[in-house]
């Protein structure tokens, strides 16, 4: 690729294009967990996550959510609007799982009365620690007004995704999103929404391991990672074609 590489992350590479307002994201098959202490590959993941993200972002745009997505020139590539990423990872939880259970003792699978919105510092050196609102302001990561905007949009995205995945016979347990600010100061949904960044449980399965359709299969060595990702892609695309 002739373009200048701007940044290589754990799952994607970002390239400049001739247009300073447009960047090219190339999705990789590389998979990491536990802040890259565990490393591996998930065959076909780059294409699958790119195509799921493209399809969901196009659909979210049609529902009034502004995203950085432009188009997908190759199956594992996405052209996106250039943004400055807000260094706050926004996690929305509908059901207790993962770090929420580890840190609070809540039982996995407990349905939360209200979706929980949490913020984590996007900082690999520090291990992406949980933030409070006041810590966000002390660190000057984002303004109070923007944070309110982010929370409102995150809750809206959750409502859209909950009902969408439900139609796919998938339970949206939790997910992580990131936001960016473009040159006109618009707040845009950025990064990706995929089985790497969501917990997705198969509604047709009750077994706690068999139902897992996301990166927890890789994190916990549950096997059949590729087929789970393929199944999510197939259901998402089929639902959007209806
Ligand atoms: P957690 O329970 O480990 O905090 O994860 C919450 C959600 O965020 C889950 O859907 C997985 C996603 N996630 C990421 O996308 N990137 C990360 O680095 C981590 C830790 C979680
Ligand atoms: N994305 C994180 C990592 O690379 C953690 C995770 O998804 O579990 O290591």
């Amino acid at each position: 690729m002739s373009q200048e590489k701007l940044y290589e992350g754990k799952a994607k590479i970002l390239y400049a294009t001739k247009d300073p307002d447009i960047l090219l994201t190339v999705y990789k098959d590389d998979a990491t967990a536990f802040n890259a202490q565990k490393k591996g590959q998930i065959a076909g993941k780059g294409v699958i996550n790119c195509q799921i993200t493209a399809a969901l972002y196009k659909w979210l745009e049609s529902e009034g959510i502004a995203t950085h997505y432009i188009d997908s020139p190759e199956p594992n590539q996405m052209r996106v609007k250039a943004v400055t990423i807000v260094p706050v990872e926004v996690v929305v939880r509908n059901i207790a799982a993962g770090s929420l259970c580890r840190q609070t003792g809540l039982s996995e699978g407990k349905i939360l009365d209200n979706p929980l919105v949490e913020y984590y510092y996007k900082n690999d050196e520090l291990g992406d620690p949980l933030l409070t609102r006041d810590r966000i302001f002390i660190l000057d990561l984002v303004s109070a007004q923007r944070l309110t905007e982010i929370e409102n949009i995150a809750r809206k995205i959750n409502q859209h995704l909950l009902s969408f995945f439900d139609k796919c016979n998938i339970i949206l347990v939790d997910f992580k999103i990131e936001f960016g600010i473009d040159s006109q100061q618009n707040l845009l949904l950025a990064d990706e929404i995929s089985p790497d960044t969501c917990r997705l449980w198969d509604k047709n399965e009750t077994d706690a391991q068999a139902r897992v359709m996301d990166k927890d299969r890789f994190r916990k060595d549950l096997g059949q990672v590729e087929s789970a990702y393929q199944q999510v892609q197939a259901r998402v695309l089929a639902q959007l074609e209806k």
Side-chain angles (χ1 to χ4, degrees):
M1 203 166 303
S2 59
Q3 286 109 325
E4 183 198 354
K5 191 196 269 194
L6 297 178
Y7 175 77
E8 177 153 6
K10 286 175 284 206
K12 298 187 286 297
I13 307 175
L14 201 59
Y15 293 92
T17 70
K18 286 178 199 135
D19 184 338
D21 287 331
I22 298 177
L23 303 178
L24 184 77
T25 307
V26 177
Y27 283 65
K28 304 193 286 187
D29 287 355
D30 297 348
T32 64
F34 315 118
N35 204 14
Q37 288 177 69
K38 181 183 173 100
K39 287 184 183 160
Q41 290 244 321
I42 300 173
K45 176 170 87 76
V47 168
I48 291 173
N49 283 0
C50 184
Q51 291 310 305
I52 292 174
T53 301
L56 289 177
Y57 280 28
K58 240 188 282 180
W59 173 73
L60 284 169
E61 284 276 356
S62 76
E63 298 287 330
I65 305 289
T67 80
H68 71 160
Y69 173 75
I70 299 172
D71 59 16
S72 174
E74 295 289 336
N76 70 330
Q77 295 182 8
M78 188 178 287
R79 294 196 315 143
V80 298
K81 293 173 195 156
V83 292
T84 303
I85 292 287
V86 176
V88 174
E89 299 191 350
V90 181
V91 170
V92 184
R93 301 179 190 269
N94 298 301
I95 295 177
S99 69
L100 179 63
C101 297
R102 281 200 306 279
Q103 294 174 4
T104 66
L106 275 173
S107 309
E108 183 181 79
K110 183 186 165 30
I111 297 169
L112 306 177
D113 290 341
N114 289 303
L116 175 63
V117 179
E118 296 181 323
Y119 307 107
Y120 292 82
Y121 191 8
K122 188 173 163 62
N123 183 319
D124 284 341
E125 268 174 44
L126 297 175
D128 295 352
L130 181 64
L131 290 167
T132 62
R133 279 183 79 84
D134 286 344
R135 286 185 184 190
I136 288 174
F137 303 142
I138 286 170
L139 293 168
D140 206 15
L141 301 180
V142 69
S143 70
Q145 195 189 334
R146 279 285 189 211
L147 193 61
T148 302
E149 199 185 345
I150 284 172
E151 178 177 348
N152 291 337
I153 298 172
R155 288 188 185 280
K156 252 190 222 163
I157 292 170
N158 183 45
Q159 288 313 314
H160 286 303
L161 292 180
L162 261 178
S163 61
F164 176 80
F165 278 115
D166 186 62
K167 289 183 200 142
C168 301
N169 274 317
I170 292 174
I171 299 167
L172 178 63
V173 174
D174 58 32
F175 60 95
K176 184 268 300 177
I177 46 178
E178 296 182 27
F179 290 89
I181 297 172
D182 71 9
S183 53
Q184 280 94 53
Q185 300 304 306
N186 298 306
L187 186 71
L188 305 181
L189 174 64
D191 198 51
E192 67 180 278
I193 297 181
S194 73
D196 269 11
T197 62
C198 301
R199 280 199 178 88
L200 304 168
W201 291 351
D202 192 342
K203 239 169 62 174
N204 306 321
E205 295 278 356
T206 46
D207 180 80
Q209 294 196 350
R211 69 188 174 189
V212 175
M213 302 181 79
D214 57 71
K215 198 162 114 181
D216 272 350
R217 297 207 75 83
F218 170 79
R219 293 188 189 99
K220 300 179 179 177
D221 294 318
L222 300 181
Q224 293 173 307
V225 186
E226 282 85 1
S227 58
Y229 276 59
Q230 286 162 9
Q231 187 56 225
V232 174
Q233 181 188 23
R235 291 198 205 175
V236 165
L237 297 187
Q239 182 57 36
L240 286 171
E241 274 163 20
K242 278 185 188 161

